[in-house]
């Protein structure tokens, strides 16, 4: 307490204020200090990277200052905290956000200008940490931003992958993968904490015996141990609190295994060291499902074990009993990736801290909450019992014990044998495997889906038996986004225009955007609105030219489909539409088509055959279309390589049309849909995920809806869907599909796209052919509306005005109120 007082006195002292001050002069002098003494350069010799690094270090110090303030206050109030567990984060570039959050973008720009340096050049230097695959990792980062802004005592726990998501290149039209060396030039945002390290065990066996008091005691004797070291990155909230993202890196326990060394087996010691460090070497590049990868399970267990040990340590440091853990910490599981936590916390409480099983189970179940992210049955995570038992023998025993008690409970509550088998933590139908979603559901006090539709389907289908057992356990928190990143930082033109009209209250209350409705008929405002969009499109057009050599006219309709490449997301439905336009133009019937640029981006999992073929299809259509003078003044097709947060921040602000065309019932929520609409794009979409709620908010008249509903999808499948029949019946569709396997498209290799063609004609698991007609008609309507620029602009304004709900700040408030029961602790 005494110490606390001292820290607070220091923080409010004149020296501390000045040392990390926020005026132009103070920023300039810290920037130079960092350049001279931490980078060791002087301006004439410094590269932009040196300058960027010096600035980043100056800003990081200020970010940590906010973190220290927040932490001191949280400790003083003895407040309850959230630990967010996520195997992935996709933070995007830090610098621009941190400047915004500290409120010093202008001061910093001026300070640099006085040194003849342009802030924009330094922002371009930043390499983003690609520690996630897509939506799920990006959501985790949006939530850290919102938790910091709301002043929620919180830590984001995860893995410090040395290589993030691969860098995508396009070679001869195909995706090729290169390693992402994001740490190559160092990472100025993180601080390593060698003193914060925990031991993690793997493999071996367990021994069951009795201790001195004749209590049963289990000893886990592993065959391998390593340690996880903490790397902390500050995450700032908007004008206020700071939290940290704590990522674990695996290392050998000792830098040398001395016994092996002394025994002369130097190489064995080195190998062991390398093996330990390999664990966090690389992120698995699969977005939806991944089966049986031993290293992935080890990564999951590794980060969960380090994080839980850290939490127990922090809890006990305050002289608290572990029986009150759930009163001071709540742990949110971002999907099932960290769900081995349930067994690990039981192990720590029971085996290491000698808590009784029932008591430990009670604490565990009051500590965890679980967010489900997928309805795709193939994406629900399971681990073969044999593999899990081999790597985590004690955890398998614990899972069996949890299961046996749970199934007992079910038998007492009169569930049928069939229901019990389907609810069991162990799937016994084939090779026995552990159902991680069931482990997470049984071990948590709350389970939520990520959009209204998804949560409903979760409750009524995927986990329906669990929902009938524990109806109060299930809830919904619709995803939200960090609009400060995806509007304020990445679209300054639109942000300034909005602020001119309604003030800057929307930086903390996105609902304020509603006030824009008052100006929807204001012609001058409409004019400025279209000018801003056109400006953003010019910037993107330059970027496209630079990246791909393709020129697109900024006046074209920018029709954008960016996200991971997956069949359920139906990039190939978009391709069918483009081909239909191509054929129409070629046959002289293209007058109704407005000039448009189709812009795609997104990575495919390296082992996903169809997804990679779809990328090849897009580039082939591009080659065909962009080089045909009969067509290329009307339409252009672009595949932007290496979609990332940094690139996304250029793309969303320039889009006119947002493609959200997944098959209804497949996309849990989506967040790209929100980022587009917030930047004034209109959406063409199905009633899937959060599209449903976006459509509700902006109004059906401002949203281009098409396609089957979830219920209709089920009905079609129940009837026995026959795509071939649609091919036979619809001549225009047939023409488009046949074009897929024509010499003209494939440049002679008619086998190139046959797998896609066959898949659509035979199974068409995502019902492209069924939704085709509806999609094409909808697109024709879109082109008609686009012709009426005024009409389009009004719809665009109304979309932005009604996006208030989709703020991550709102999502975090929902989590706090309905799930976590955590109160904010604010500092200034
Ligand atoms: C928002 C975002 C996603 C998720 O996009 P969806 O359209 O919701 O699938 C993926 N990757 C990046 C880089 C993003 O910014």
């Amino acid at each position: 307490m005494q110490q606390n007082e001292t820290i607070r006195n220091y923080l409010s002292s004149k020296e501390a204020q000045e040392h990390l001050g926020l005026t132009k002069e103070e920023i300039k002098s810290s920037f130079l200090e960092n350049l001279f003494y931490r980078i060791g350069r002087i301006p004439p010799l410094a590269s932009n990277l040196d300058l960027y690094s010096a600035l980043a270090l100056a800003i990081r110090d200020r970010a940590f200052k906010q973190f220290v303030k927040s932490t001191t206050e949280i400790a003083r109030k003895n407040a309850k905290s959230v630990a967010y567990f996520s195997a992935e984060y996709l933070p995007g570039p830090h610098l621009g956000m941190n400047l915004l959050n500290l409120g010093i973008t202008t001061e910093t720009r001026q300070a640099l200008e006085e040194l003849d340096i342009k802030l924009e050049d330094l922002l371009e230097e930043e390499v983003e940490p690609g520690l996630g695959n897509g939506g799920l990792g990006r959501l985790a980062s949006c939530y850290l931003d919102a938790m910091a802004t709301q002043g929620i005592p919180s830590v984001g726990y995860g893995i410090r992958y040395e290589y993030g998501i691969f860098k995508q290149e396009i070679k001869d039209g195909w995706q090729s993968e290169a390693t992402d060396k994001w740490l190559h030039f160092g990472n100025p945002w993180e601080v390593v904490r060698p003193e914060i390290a925990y031991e993690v065990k793997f493999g071996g066996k367990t021994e069951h015996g009795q201790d001195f008091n004749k209590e049963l005691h289990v000893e886990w004797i592993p065959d391998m141990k390593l340690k996880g070291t903490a790397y902390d990155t500050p995450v700032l909230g908007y004008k206020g609190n700071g939290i940290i993202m704590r990522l674990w890196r695996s290392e050998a326990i000792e830098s040398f295994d001395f016994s092996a060394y002394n025994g002369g087996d130097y190489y064995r010691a080195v190998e062991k060291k390398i093996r330990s460090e390999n664990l966090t070497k690389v992120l698995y590049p699969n977005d939806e499902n991944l089966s049986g990868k031993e290293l992935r399970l080890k990564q999951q267990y590794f980060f969960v074990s380090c994080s839980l040990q850290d939490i127990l340590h922090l809890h006990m440091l305050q002289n608290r009993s572990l029986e009150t853990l759930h009163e001071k910490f709540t742990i949110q599981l971002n999907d099932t990736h960290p769900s081995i936590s349930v067994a690990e916390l039981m192990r720590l409480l029971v085996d290491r801290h000698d808590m009784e099983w029932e008591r430990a189970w009670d604490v565990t179940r009051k500590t965890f909450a679980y967010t489900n992210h997928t309805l795709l049955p193939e994406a629900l995570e399971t681990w073969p019992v044999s593999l899990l038992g081999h790597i985590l023998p004690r955890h398998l025993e614990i899972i069996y014990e949890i299961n046996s008690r749970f199934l007992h409970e079910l038998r007492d509550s009169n569930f049928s044998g069939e229901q019990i088998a389907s609810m069991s933590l162990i799937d016994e139908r084939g090779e026995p495997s552990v159902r991680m979603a069931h482990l997470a559901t049984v071990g948590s006090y709350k389970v939520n889906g990520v959009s209204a539709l998804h949560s409903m389907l979760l409750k009524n289908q995927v986990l329906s038996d669990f929902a009938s057992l524990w109806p109060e356990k299930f809830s919904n928190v619709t995803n939200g986004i960090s609009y400060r990143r995806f509007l304020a930082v990445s679209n300054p033109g639109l942000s300034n225009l909005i602020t001119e009209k309604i003030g800057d209250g929307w930086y903390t209350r996105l609902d304020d955007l509603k006030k824009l409705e008052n100006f929807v008929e204001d012609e001058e405002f409409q004019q400025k609105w279209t000018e801003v969009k056109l400006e953003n499109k010019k910037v993107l057009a330059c970027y496209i030219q630079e990246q791909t050599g393709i020129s697109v006219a900024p006046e074209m309709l920018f029709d954008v489909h960016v996200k991971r490449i997956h069949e359920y997301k139906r990039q190939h439905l978009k391709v069918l539409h483009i081909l239909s336009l191509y054929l129409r133009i070629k046959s002289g019937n293209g007058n109704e088509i407005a000039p448009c640029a189709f812009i795609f981006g997104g990575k495919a999992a390296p082992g996903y055959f169809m997804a990679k073929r779809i990328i090849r299809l897009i580039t082939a259509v591009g080659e065909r279309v962009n080089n045909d003078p009969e067509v290329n003044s009307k339409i252009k097709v672009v595949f932007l390589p290496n979609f990332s947060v940094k690139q996304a921040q250029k793309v969303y602000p320039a889009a006119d049309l947002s493609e959200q065309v997944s098959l209804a019932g497949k996309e849990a929520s989506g967040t790209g849909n929100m980022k587009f609409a917030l930047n004034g794009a209109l959406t063409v979409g199905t009633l899937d995920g959060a599209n449903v709620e976006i459509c509700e908010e902006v109004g059906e008249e401002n949203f281009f809806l098409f396609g089957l509903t979830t219920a209709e999808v089920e009905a079609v499948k129940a009837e026995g869907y026959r795509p071939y029949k649609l091919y036979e019946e619809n001549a225009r569709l047939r023409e488009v599909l046949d074009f897929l396997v024509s010499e003209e498209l494939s440049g002679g290799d008619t086998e190139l796209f046959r797998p896609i063609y066959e898949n659509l004609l035979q199974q068409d698991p995502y019902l492209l052919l069924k939704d085709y007609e509806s999609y094409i008609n909808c697109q024709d309507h879109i082109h008609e509306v686009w012709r009426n620029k005024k009409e389009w602009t009004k719809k665009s304004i109304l979309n932005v005005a009604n996006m208030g709900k989709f703020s991550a700040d709102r999502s975090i408030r929902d989590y706090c109120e309905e799930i976590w029961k955590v109160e904010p602790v604010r500092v200034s």
Side-chain angles (χ1 to χ4, degrees):
M1 285 302 122
Q2 178 64 43
Q3 239 174 4
N4 237 323
E5 199 63 20
T6 316
I7 296 171
R8 279 193 298 142
N9 288 341
Y10 165 73
L11 287 170
S12 54
S13 71
K14 193 155 166 282
E15 297 96 294
Q17 301 289 350
E18 278 172 8
H19 178 54
L20 294 173
L22 302 177
T23 66
K24 184 186 74 182
E25 288 307 322
E26 288 160 332
I27 294 165
K28 188 162 69 179
S29 71
S30 314
F31 166 71
L32 288 174
E33 250 176 54
N34 277 291
L35 185 64
F36 299 157
Y37 311 132
R38 277 153 108 183
I39 308 289
R41 285 275 182 183
I42 51 167
L45 292 178
S47 65
N48 274 349
L49 181 71
D50 295 327
L51 300 174
Y52 155 75
S53 302
L55 182 61
L57 289 170
I59 301 305
R60 184 193 72 189
D61 288 346
R62 286 161 174 77
F64 268 119
K65 182 177 176 184
Q66 291 307 106
F67 164 70
V68 169
K69 275 191 197 171
S70 301
T71 310
T72 315
E73 194 57 17
I74 290 162
R76 195 173 72 87
K77 293 212 164 133
N78 196 14
K80 182 175 177 183
S81 298
V82 179
Y84 197 81
F85 278 19
S86 181
E88 302 190 5
Y89 289 94
L90 213 48
H94 298 286
L95 181 56
M97 272 309 275
N98 283 337
L99 293 177
L100 176 86
N101 286 328
L102 289 165
I104 56 171
T105 311
T106 308
E107 289 78 356
T108 305
R109 179 175 285 116
Q110 289 168 352
L112 292 172
E113 263 165 18
E114 291 177 7
L115 298 163
D116 268 337
I117 299 165
K118 275 174 72 183
L119 174 60
E120 271 59 37
D121 292 343
L122 305 197
L123 288 168
E124 270 309 306
E125 285 298 312
E126 183 163 358
V127 178
E128 72 174 85
L131 310 182
N133 274 285
L136 174 124
R138 184 51 236 171
L139 184 79
S141 289
C142 282
Y143 282 178
L144 296 191
D145 167 282
M147 285 192 275
T149 297
Q150 302 292 307
I152 306 305
S154 49
V155 183
Y157 282 106
I159 302 171
R160 184 179 176 278
Y161 303 104
E162 192 176 326
Y163 297 99
I165 184 71
F166 63 85
K167 182 165 181 281
Q168 180 193 54
E169 290 163 7
I170 299 296
K171 288 188 176 151
D172 300 325
W174 294 95
Q175 165 174 302
S176 89
E177 299 96 19
T179 46
D180 165 47
K181 297 186 186 164
W182 73 286
L183 292 166
H184 190 67
F185 294 108
N187 173 9
W189 299 103
E190 70 182 3
V191 171
V192 56
R193 306 258 188 232
E195 78 287 6
I196 304 178
Y198 299 96
E199 202 177 276
V200 181
K201 305 190 267 193
F202 293 98
K205 57 177 184 186
T206 60
E207 276 176 5
H208 293 241
Q210 287 177 344
D211 65 12
F212 303 120
N213 304 322
K214 302 241 185 284
E215 299 273 352
L216 270 179
H217 196 88
V218 182
E219 187 81 25
W220 175 14
I221 299 150
D223 56 23
M224 180 188 178
K225 284 187 202 170
L226 47 75
K227 73 173 179 189
T229 300
Y231 284 69
D232 289 348
T233 302
V235 178
L236 280 178
Y238 184 65
K239 296 198 176 160
N241 293 54
I243 62 172
I244 54 165
M245 173 169 73
R246 173 161 290 173
L247 305 180
W248 303 102
R249 172 177 185 243
S250 66
E251 289 170 25
I253 295 274
E254 298 292 343
S255 50
F256 281 98
D257 184 335
F258 282 106
S259 59
Y261 186 45
N262 293 336
D265 199 349
Y266 181 77
Y267 292 103
R268 200 171 64 88
V270 171
E271 258 168 41
K272 215 166 145 186
K273 179 172 163 58
I274 292 172
R275 221 161 8 109
S276 301
E277 288 174 4
N278 276 346
L279 192 76
T280 52
K281 194 64 84 179
V282 58
L283 166 76
Y284 280 100
N286 287 59
D287 192 34
E288 290 289 340
N289 69 322
L290 186 96
S291 55
K293 287 274 186 287
E294 181 176 322
L295 186 61
R296 169 80 170 181
L297 178 61
K298 284 185 173 171
Q299 288 181 336
Q300 294 179 351
Y301 174 64
F302 164 77
F303 105 83
V304 151
S305 179
C306 290
S307 309
L308 285 172
Q309 291 183 67
D310 197 38
I311 289 168
L312 297 192
H313 172 74
L314 292 170
H315 188 74
M316 290 185 299
L317 207 62
Q318 310 270 339
N319 291 319
R320 297 167 183 152
S321 147
L322 287 177
E323 286 172 25
T324 63
L325 182 69
H326 57 282
E327 292 166 15
K328 292 296 164 195
F329 282 97
T330 189
I331 301 176
Q332 189 66 36
L333 305 174
N334 192 25
D335 211 333
T336 52
H337 315 144
S339 59
I340 193 69
S341 291
V342 172
E344 173 67 356
L345 182 57
M346 284 301 286
R347 185 187 72 86
L348 291 170
L349 294 178
V350 173
D351 294 358
R352 191 180 285 181
H353 295 282
D354 297 316
M355 202 185 280
E356 254 179 89
W357 179 279
E358 279 81 10
R359 199 154 266 192
W361 184 234
D362 187 53
V363 170
T364 298
R365 287 181 103 171
K366 286 176 175 161
T367 300
F368 292 109
Y370 156 53
T371 305
N372 172 285
H373 280 277
T374 183
L375 297 165
L376 303 180
E378 70 274 20
L380 285 171
E381 197 177 20
T382 62
W383 289 101
V385 164
S386 56
L387 176 63
L388 202 140
H390 177 63
I391 297 169
L392 303 170
R394 178 58 183 143
H395 296 78
L396 186 60
E397 291 174 359
I398 290 172
I399 290 168
Y400 275 134
E401 182 62 28
I402 294 171
N403 197 36
S404 127
R405 290 167 185 249
F406 171 57
L407 298 185
H408 207 82
E409 204 180 309
L410 294 182
R411 277 184 214 105
D412 288 346
S413 332
N414 295 321
F415 278 88
S416 72
E418 199 183 324
Q419 279 173 315
I420 292 174
S422 77
M423 291 167 85
S424 170
L425 305 191
I426 312 293
D427 184 352
E428 312 261 10
R429 288 169 305 176
E431 186 192 1
S433 54
V434 182
R435 294 166 165 146
M436 302 311 273
H438 293 196
L439 178 63
T441 303
V442 171
S444 295
Y445 64 93
K446 281 277 184 183
V447 176
N448 75 286
V450 290
S451 70
L453 175 69
H454 167 68
S455 296
M456 191 270 283
L457 294 170
L458 196 63
K459 234 169 101 170
N460 296 347
Q461 296 176 6
V462 183
L463 296 175
S464 60
D465 287 331
F466 291 93
S468 71
L469 181 63
W470 300 307
E472 69 299 335
K473 205 184 244 199
F474 287 78
S475 65
N476 172 248
V477 179
T478 298
N479 281 169
I481 55 170
S482 166
Y483 54 91
R484 285 172 293 271
R485 175 178 292 275
F486 289 104
L487 181 55
V489 169
S490 60
N491 195 347
L494 194 61
S495 300
N496 292 338
L497 179 58
I498 291 171
T499 301
E500 251 173 54
K501 280 290 174 203
I502 65 167
D504 64 2
W506 63 273
Y507 277 72
T508 47
R509 291 181 309 269
L510 197 60
D511 288 323
D512 265 26
L513 292 178
K514 191 83 181 165
K515 296 179 188 159
L516 291 172
E517 282 190 344
N518 299 334
F519 305 100
V520 73
E521 299 295 340
D522 175 340
E523 299 208 343
E524 195 193 320
F525 183 60
Q526 292 170 358
Q527 181 61 29
K528 286 186 177 164
W529 191 272
T530 40
E531 280 166 16
V532 166
K533 180 62 84 179
L534 187 65
E535 219 29 64
N536 293 340
K537 289 166 75 174
K538 284 180 186 162
V539 174
L540 183 64
C542 281
Y543 178 74
I544 289 173
Q545 175 88 52
E546 191 187 289
Q547 297 290 311
T548 67
I550 301 166
S551 68
V552 296
E555 295 73 25
M556 289 177 144
L557 186 156
F558 279 18
D559 180 337
V560 186
H561 201 314
V562 289
K563 50 182 77 238
R564 285 298 288 242
I565 312 291
H566 203 293
E567 287 164 279
Y568 86 80
K569 292 180 182 275
R570 302 201 294 191
Q571 279 88 359
H572 45 340
L573 180 59
K574 181 78 242 164
V575 173
L576 296 185
H577 171 232
I578 298 171
L579 291 179
S580 81
L581 296 181
Y582 174 81
L583 293 172
R584 256 152 82 177
I585 297 169
K586 287 303 254 187
S587 63
N589 298 317
N591 288 338
E592 305 292 302
I593 302 166
C596 52
F598 300 101
I599 300 162
F600 290 89
K603 294 175 184 176
Y608 188 170
F609 175 87
M610 282 299 266
K612 290 185 119 174
R613 253 324 114 134
I614 290 170
I615 291 178
R616 183 67 191 94
L617 175 62
I618 294 167
T619 59
V621 173
E623 282 156 31
R624 184 83 239 135
V625 165
N626 302 338
N627 297 314
D628 184 338
E630 260 188 298
V631 190
N632 65 15
S633 58
K634 273 268 186 194
I635 59 179
K636 281 279 171 74
V637 179
V638 175
F639 188 91
L640 259 181
N642 205 37
F643 188 57
S644 60
V645 177
K646 195 170 172 180
Q647 189 183 83
Q649 289 181 218
K650 294 186 168 73
V651 173
Y652 295 123
D656 294 306
L657 185 64
S658 158
E659 296 277 347
Q660 307 300 333
V661 303
S662 55
L663 176 65
K666 296 293 178 190
E667 187 76 87
S669 162
T671 49
N673 45 8
M674 301 168 188
K675 299 175 210 164
F676 274 112
L678 184 64
N679 281 279
L682 306 193
T683 307
V684 52
T686 49
L687 280 177
D688 199 14
N691 293 355
V692 177
E693 289 156 84
I694 294 175
C695 181
E696 228 168 72
E697 294 293 307
V698 307
E700 230 176 278
E701 66 286 3
N702 300 309
F703 192 104
F704 301 111
L705 257 186
F706 79 97
L708 301 178
T709 61
T710 316
E712 287 164 350
V713 168
E714 275 163 32
V716 168
K717 293 212 162 161
E719 267 166 29
Y721 174 52
R722 288 179 45 224
Y724 195 77
K725 200 156 154 264
L726 294 168
Y727 171 85
E728 285 180 322
E729 286 167 3
N730 183 339
R732 278 169 54 197
L733 171 60
R734 189 162 62 240
E735 196 189 354
V736 167
L737 286 167
D738 287 342
F739 192 68
L740 277 182
V741 287
S742 67
E743 301 225 343
E744 199 183 334
L745 180 65
S746 59
D749 179 5
T750 56
E751 291 306 301
L752 195 54
F753 304 121
R754 191 165 293 280
I756 298 176
Y757 178 80
E758 299 284 344
N759 180 277
L760 292 179
L761 292 190
Q762 287 166 19
Q763 292 101 29
D764 190 17
Y766 301 102
L767 308 190
L768 275 77
L769 306 198
K770 192 74 190 171
D771 272 343
Y772 177 79
E773 195 72 27
S774 162
Y775 186 54
I776 299 292
N777 292 339
C778 187
Q779 290 286 350
D780 287 349
H781 172 61
I782 290 168
H783 280 230
E784 223 178 278
V785 178
W786 173 252
R787 285 234 161 72
N788 185 344
K789 283 290 141 60
K790 208 175 146 93
E791 201 50 37
W792 187 280
T793 302
K794 282 203 267 185
K795 288 181 192 295
S796 168
I797 296 170
L798 289 173
N799 263 265
V800 176
N802 289 291
M803 287 304 289
K805 176 174 178 182
F806 304 99
S807 131
D809 297 348
R810 187 272 311 149
S811 306
I812 290 302
R813 282 194 295 271
D814 288 356
Y815 275 104
C816 283
E817 281 163 26
E818 284 172 36
I819 299 182
W820 300 335
K821 313 292 179 200
V822 171
E823 302 279 336
V825 173
R826 287 183 203 282
V827 300
S828 56

